[in-house]
Amino acid sequence: MTGEIHPTAIVDPHAELAEGVSVGAYSIIGPGVKLGVGTKIWHQANIWGNTTIGEDCEVYPFASVGMRTQDLKFKGGNPGTLIGDRNVIREYVSINAATNEGEYTEIGDDNLFLAYCHVGHCCKIGNHLIASNGATFAGHVIVEDHVGIGGGGTAIHQFCHIGQHAFIGGCAKVEQDIPPFMLGDGHPAKIRIFNKIGLERNGFNPEQLSVIKRIFKIFYRDGFNRQQALAELKKGDIADSEETKAFIAFAESTERGLAGGS
């Protein structure tokens, strides 16, 4: 291993640090931790537990990654935390381990967690998430790829599911699932519109945007109930689009129910 380990850092001899890992002053790296190539742990961060962090990640001061779940159902064992590559974990972020033996809190690649975010036990977070300051993910939350979360204490209830390319406004209270491509906001969060700006920034073309606008209109503006809206999507001229298929699959698999329209 070649890397810069500050002399005041505490790195357990059983931790595994790959090539180029750096650990700042007063940081603590526990015995079960594995850090990938090029990852940087800034000063005064705490990485603990059965935790693997991938390549080229950054963990900023006072972040806590991999500590024991806060779930009162914890009965012992060595559940863990798996974090992919190129993630940025800013100041005071907390990411807890899973609850039961053999389970993991999982975070994919290229995610940005701004200061004071919290990721609870057994969450499954995909790729390219931007979570603004103070966003909180309770236990067992699932977040698909390319999601944006506003800050100011946005709170996502346990077991909620956030679909791909969705956006949640700042200070929102999310109690039900947010479907793909939609924008949720409020107390509780309701679907206000489709995530037009976010979709444009991620390269969706005018034809795709037109399909998603139609999905939003059928599901949230045309007066159908949920089953009628799904039937309308399945028989309409946009039924074969990938966006419609993704939306239908999400809606049919929801367990907490979908957030309503405004």
Side-chain angles (χ1 to χ4, degrees):
M1 182 194 73
T2 59
E4 184 177 344
I5 310 299
H6 193 276
T8 63
I10 299 174
V11 179
D12 191 278
H14 295 99
E16 298 180 22
L17 277 59
E19 190 79 15
V21 168
S22 63
V23 181
Y26 300 104
S27 285
I28 298 175
I29 310 297
V33 172
K34 299 177 182 178
L35 301 179
V37 173
T39 283
K40 179 174 183 177
I41 310 300
W42 288 75
H43 54 280
Q44 294 167 299
N46 178 35
I47 318 296
W48 202 258
N50 178 12
T51 298
T52 298
I53 298 178
E55 299 182 2
D56 298 316
C57 293
E58 288 190 84
V59 181
Y60 277 74
F62 306 106
S64 174
V65 179
M67 290 296 289
R68 179 182 293 179
T69 176
Q70 299 176 65
D71 187 352
L72 297 178
K73 297 188 296 296
F74 176 71
K75 301 301 180 185
N78 194 30
T81 305
L82 299 176
I83 297 176
D85 301 332
R86 298 176 302 279
N87 292 288
V88 176
I89 299 168
R90 293 300 306 236
E91 296 85 350
Y92 293 99
V93 169
S94 57
I95 300 173
N96 289 164
T99 299
N100 298 314
E101 183 70 32
E103 294 180 342
Y104 292 87
T105 299
E106 298 180 26
I107 294 173
D109 302 331
D110 301 295
N111 298 294
L112 171 59
F113 296 90
L114 295 185
Y116 294 96
C117 286
H118 171 69
V119 180
H121 58 276
C122 304
C123 285
K124 309 294 183 188
I125 292 176
N127 309 303
H128 302 284
L129 166 73
I130 298 176
S132 296
N133 300 68
T136 58
F137 305 80
H140 301 275
V141 168
I142 297 173
V143 181
E144 296 183 2
D145 295 346
H146 296 283
V147 168
I149 309 289
T154 296
I156 303 174
H157 195 282
Q158 61 185 355
F159 293 100
C160 278
H161 188 171
I162 312 300
Q164 60 177 295
H165 293 282
F167 184 85
I168 299 171
C171 304
K173 176 186 177 184
V174 180
E175 297 180 330
Q176 293 181 297
D177 295 348
I178 304 295
F181 319 118
M182 299 296 135
L183 188 154
D185 194 20
H187 295 262
K190 301 291 185 183
I191 304 304
R192 308 296 176 178
I193 191 65
F194 67 100
N195 183 23
K196 183 175 185 293
I197 293 175
L199 294 167
E200 289 174 340
R201 288 175 176 171
N202 279 289
F204 280 66
N205 61 41
E207 291 75 20
Q208 291 173 300
L209 293 174
S210 177
V211 168
I212 293 167
K213 183 177 181 180
R214 289 274 305 282
I215 294 170
F216 169 76
K217 186 173 183 293
I218 290 169
F219 214 81
Y220 289 105
R221 290 291 183 267
D222 284 352
F224 297 117
N225 64 35
R226 297 294 167 82
Q227 294 306 313
Q228 290 169 336
L230 286 171
E232 191 72 16
L233 288 175
K234 290 177 181 179
K235 72 180 183 183
D237 59 347
I238 61 171
D240 291 333
S241 73
E242 292 303 314
E243 293 75 26
T244 301
K245 291 176 181 178
F247 188 95
I248 291 171
F250 186 97
E252 291 184 332
S253 66
T254 182
E255 294 183 2
R256 287 193 60 82
L258 301 180
S262 60

